[in-house]
Amino acid sequence: MPKTIRNKYYDNLTYEKLLEAHKKSRKGKGYRKEIILFNLKQEEYIMWLLEKLETKTYKHGGYTVFYVTEPKLRKIEKSRYIDRIVHRWLVDNFLKPAFVPQFINTSFACIENKGMHKSALYVKNTMKHLNNKWNEYYILKMDIAKYFDNINKNMLLKILQRKIKDKDLLWLIKEILYSQKREKGLEIGNYTSQMFANIYLNEIDQYIKHKLHVKYYCRYLDDSILFTKTKKEAKDILNKIREYLQKELELELNKKTQIFKSKQGVNFCGYKINAYRMKLRDKGKRRLKKKVKYLEKQVYLGNMTSKEARIYLAGHMGYIKYADTYNLENRLFYIE
């Protein structure tokens, strides 16, 4: 991918690529009413969308707002399905190829083959390495306050414009970015928002790695960890990071940001991690037990089969298999 994107909008605007974006967007969700209805007139809808994007008469629709409570209360803004196809097309054909290769190796969130588990394993392996190298050291754990709500759209656009010089592509990005008339805040639920959020925080990643020369650092979306030999070094780095975030990105670290000794271990990506173990956090255990208890009741009442219950828990099985928990998988997920 060249250093800048020029004259690529129409090269990638084809029926085939929009169809591929549709197939990826509906994956695992084909039972939903909106997708069933779209599939009934798939060709017509995609041809209509193609024309709207070609003539630049496409308008991003509104959002359906709802709230989720796990793992904590969050406001979700869900766009129309046809808009989600556009999001996928934009990210897969332009944003990923242009920006992901520029990310640091230890940026893990929303990147293919670099998820939560690999982030946690990186922390564990780094702690093991530093035990041998330094014996004692310090951990700086940082968390950005209300990250998605505080992303400045104008600043984000300026970051995107360094790389994107294609005026047609910038038109579409602005149409999505400013579909809700507010200067700050990305919609949690948009496929584009995940990538925009990563691009925005890549600025602090580059600063930490190449200006502050921090060797041991990783980030999972708005949570990040770095390791230093001394507490003074950690404090100096933290002060510089706070200043950079406020000045360059209009972001602040929240009260969960802290510096502590390595022997305490660290909570990160749902695990309690030290150099030799990775355990489930107590909160995660409680949520799992609650869900298993609910499913056992549903199986007992005949509302679902054991097989259906196990399918429902497949994602949770992936979560616990990385933890050092003796026989937990068999004990916790045994449903008859």
Side-chain angles (χ1 to χ4, degrees), residues 67-75:
Y67 293 84
V68 296
T69 56
E70 292 291 345
K72 61 182 179 181
L73 182 66
R74 289 184 187 275
K75 178 183 177 183

Side-chain angles (χ1 to χ4, degrees), residues 37-38 41-50 82:
L37 293 174
F38 189 95
K41 295 185 177 181
Q42 172 181 291
E43 185 174 349
E44 292 177 40
Y45 284 132
I46 293 178
M47 288 301 297
W48 177 86
L49 187 56
L50 179 62
I82 201 163

Side-chain angles (χ1 to χ4, degrees), residues 178-229:
Y178 296 103
S179 58
Q180 300 209 72
K181 309 301 180 184
R182 62 191 187 207
E183 183 179 336
K184 282 193 173 185
L186 296 182
E187 297 77 18
I188 298 177
N190 274 5
Y191 189 60
T192 49
S193 295
Q194 298 175 1
M195 183 55 63
F196 286 152
N198 247 349
I199 291 169
Y200 201 67
L201 275 193
N202 181 54
E203 299 294 299
I204 190 64
D205 293 344
Q206 299 295 333
Y207 176 72
I208 290 170
K209 293 294 288 186
H210 302 300
K211 296 295 184 181
L212 301 183
H213 303 290
V214 176
K215 185 174 182 180
Y216 304 105
Y217 164 79
C218 77
R219 177 175 62 81
Y220 185 83
L221 206 54
D222 57 340
D223 291 329
S224 55
I225 286 181
L226 64 82
F227 304 91
T228 62
K229 192 172 183 178

